[in-house]
Amino acid sequence: MIQEAEAWLLSQPEVLVQAEIDMSKFNCSNVETIEDPSEKLADLYKKSGKTYNKVRNFA
């Protein structure tokens, strides 16, 4: 079961690619196994030169 909203976002890489997030370094086939999805998503944003804000970016 997905525990964080960020895991739901990570399960839809095409949405993140549309937001210009580089998903080439993301290689997880089962997002339910990620310990801290919010941290992983923030890291992907950072590597793409952006800052993740849960309120602004998730809405």
Side-chain angles (χ1 to χ4, degrees):
M1 178 169 79
I2 291 179
Q3 297 293 322
E4 290 189 42
E6 286 81 4
W8 178 68
L9 285 173
L10 290 169
S11 72
Q12 300 179 35
E14 63 279 355
V15 172
L16 293 170
V17 169
Q18 287 177 347
E20 299 178 356
I21 303 303
D22 180 14
M23 296 299 289
S24 64
K25 294 179 174 68
F26 182 70
N27 58 1
C28 181
S29 60
N30 185 359
V31 295
E32 293 179 19
T33 62
I34 299 173
E35 282 190 38
D36 193 354
S38 57
E39 193 172 300
K40 180 65 177 172
L41 188 59
D43 186 50
L44 287 170
Y45 266 75
K46 185 176 181 178
K47 289 178 180 176
S48 297
K50 299 179 180 231
T51 304
Y52 176 70
N53 179 287
K54 190 172 203 160
V55 174
R56 184 182 64 230
N57 296 113
F58 190 74

